Amino acid sequence: MRSFTRSNRRIRKEWQDSFTVGIEELDVQHRTLLYLINETGDLADAQNTAKSATFTALNAMILYAENHFRTEEDYFERYTYPEHCQQKEEHEAFVDSVFSMAQELDKESALSLGSIILFLEDWYTDRVPGADQEYKQFLSIKIADEAKVVHI
Ligand SMILES: [Fe+2]
């Protein structure tokens, strides 16, 4: 659900400890992704922001998301996560969707930046506290097992 302040501007989504996936590298990336989505949203909300600045922020967020997905997929491959292929497909679908939206925006179509921000916020809420939690236990067991082998 969308949150607004009294002046009808967005409320920045905040990181919650329950979002953690138990791997510091991925948690840092998830926090940074949230920061970049919030920054893009703030630029979109500001009346006097040049469209190019928001577009640049949106592209930076997409590139960061791609890098994050590669990091996650490296973990999936290393520990043979059974849902690796599905996760990879979902990552690719997200990047394709957001790049398409960004291109539409650049063509001055009817698509609004606000609707892209809403899409990103909904995606983050579904993804990080949702789908990404599914690999948390699997990877934590694998990493703990690996640590035991190293110490034998
Ligand atoms: Fe993630």
Side-chain angles (χ1 to χ4, degrees), residues 21 26 30 33 68-69 72 87 91 123 127-128 132 135:
V21 294
L26 298 179
H30 285 152
L33 259 179
H68 165 63
F69 294 154
E72 277 185 334
Q87 291 264 351
H91 289 165
W123 169 79
R127 192 81 222 167
V128 178
D132 280 0
Y135 65 66

Side-chain angles (χ1 to χ4, degrees), residues 1 7 12 22-23 44 58 67 82 93 96 107 135 146 148 152:
M1 192 173 77
S7 62
R12 293 168 69 98
I23 297 170
L58 183 61
N67 179 61
D96 287 348
K107 286 190 279 185
Y135 65 66
E146 187 179 67
K148 282 182 210 159
I152 288 175

Side-chain angles (χ1 to χ4, degrees), residues 35-84:
Y35 170 82
L36 292 173
I37 290 171
N38 279 328
E39 286 293 296
T40 309
D42 285 351
L43 284 170
D45 282 347
Q47 299 294 320
N48 57 354
T49 303
K51 185 176 164 185
S52 60
T54 314
F55 193 71
T56 299
L58 183 61
N59 273 307
M61 191 286 304
I62 298 169
L63 292 173
Y64 191 88
E66 281 191 297
N67 179 61
H68 165 63
F69 294 154
R70 275 193 294 275
T71 308
E72 277 185 334
E73 289 163 18
D74 285 347
Y75 277 97
F76 299 159
E77 194 171 330
R78 178 173 174 181
Y79 295 107
T80 326
Y81 182 51
E83 305 300 321
H84 181 174

Side-chain angles (χ1 to χ4, degrees), residues 17-22 81 132-141:
D17 288 342
S18 61
F19 293 179
T20 183
V21 294
Y81 182 51
D132 280 0
Q133 297 299 314
E134 292 169 16
Y135 65 66
K136 182 177 181 176
Q137 188 179 14
F138 179 87
L139 290 182
S140 72
I141 291 169

